[in-house]
Amino acid sequence: MPTTLSGADKATYQTIFRHPVSHNLEWRSVISVFNHLGEVEEEPNGKMKFTRNGQTLTFHSRGKEVEVEEIMHIRHFLESSEKPTDGSDGKTNDVMVVLDHSGARIFQTGKEEAHIVPLDPSGHDQQVHNPKGDSGGKQGPLRKLFHEALAARLRTADRILLIGDGQGASNEVDHFVTELKEHHHKDLAARIVGTEVADISHLTDGELASKCREFSGLKQ
């Protein structure tokens, strides 16, 4: 959480990241948070534009309260816009993603930095796909939301290594790469420098951290 927030804004920020997702978050509270973290602009067409560290999020606010799906987009935007994207520190931002049906584990500089799990609009944990089949096509929108969240988290990455379990049609790495190429994320897809198949369930945290350090060229 940004250290510049306090009081009501701090409570609002915590509500945005609450699990399960809150159903009573007001727009005026969200706007107050963005006023402290970035810039807020109301456009002539009624849309609200939030800008932070060079990234922009636009909403057409409706009513008093923020809808659950909008909260999820706000959450992902706050995560992805935490650091400036101009690369001014001169370092390559290498990111390793361990991806399977239960979610994505994101490693940087030899340690795990984030764990993204699929959520449905009601805020419950989901699997990216149903191992017994996608009955009625219900998993498609959930998978898309998960992929969008992961893509947002990877926006600042310079080089990306994807590691999947390689289990045929359920290989989430293949699904994710296809989603990037088909839905206007070709620039991000171009930063994927490698994909690997591994028995994820048998890799320890230490082994994953070591693989990340090797990918980033860091000393063990």
Side-chain angles (χ1 to χ4, degrees):
M1 177 186 298
T3 57
T4 56
L5 296 179
S6 61
D9 290 330
K10 183 177 181 179
T12 298
Y13 191 95
Q14 291 172 331
T15 299
I16 292 172
F17 286 88
R18 182 179 300 161
H19 180 75
V21 179
S22 174
H23 289 265
N24 58 356
L25 183 64
E26 296 186 356
W27 271 110
R28 62 181 180 84
S29 299
V30 173
I31 292 172
S32 177
V33 168
F34 273 101
N35 272 319
H36 281 86
L37 297 181
E39 298 179 0
V40 179
E41 178 183 355
E42 186 172 357
E43 300 181 333
N45 57 10
K47 291 185 178 180
M48 195 71 65
K49 183 169 72 173
F50 305 136
T51 303
R52 184 189 187 203
N53 289 333
Q55 297 190 41
T56 300
L57 179 67
T58 303
F59 277 114
H60 194 304
S61 59
R62 301 181 296 274
K64 180 180 179 181
E65 295 183 349
V66 188
E67 295 181 2
V68 171
E69 186 172 342
E70 292 173 327
I71 294 176
M72 294 172 70
H73 285 301
I74 292 170
R75 178 189 299 179
H76 301 150
F77 175 76
L78 288 173
E79 289 177 335
S80 67
S81 64
E82 284 180 355
K83 298 178 181 179
T85 59
D86 59 5
S88 58
D89 60 1
K91 296 180 180 179
T92 301
N93 186 13
D94 294 334
V95 180
M96 185 182 82
V97 181
V98 180
L99 182 61
D100 63 10
H101 66 273
S102 65
R105 298 177 64 186
I106 299 175
F107 290 79
Q108 291 175 274
T109 61
K111 61 182 180 180
E112 185 171 359
E113 297 288 350
H115 187 188
I116 299 178
V117 297
L119 294 175
D120 68 11
S122 62
H124 300 299
D125 289 334
Q126 297 284 322
Q127 290 188 338
V128 182
H129 74 276
N130 184 344
K132 296 183 179 180
D134 185 0
S135 176
K138 296 179 181 179
Q139 293 297 119
L142 300 182
R143 173 178 267 157
K144 181 174 176 57
L145 280 174
F146 169 72
H147 286 164
E148 287 292 334
L150 180 55
R153 189 63 175 78
L154 296 176
R155 277 188 194 135
T156 61
D158 296 313
R159 300 194 314 149
I160 303 168
L161 172 65
L162 299 178
I163 299 178
D165 53 21
Q167 296 176 0
S170 66
N171 186 340
E172 288 305 321
V173 167
D174 290 345
H175 286 295
F176 179 57
V177 173
T178 299
E179 183 81 15
L180 290 179
K181 293 179 178 178
E182 291 182 353
H183 293 87
H184 312 296
H185 293 296
K186 292 182 180 180
D187 59 328
L188 185 58
R191 283 177 260 153
I192 298 174
V193 297
T195 60
E196 293 185 13
V197 175
D199 189 354
I200 295 174
S201 62
H202 287 83
L203 290 175
T204 66
D205 291 348
E207 288 171 331
L208 289 172
S210 178
K211 184 178 286 290
C212 178
R213 286 192 293 269
E214 181 181 353
F215 169 56
S216 300
L218 300 176
K219 293 182 179 180
Q220 300 292 322

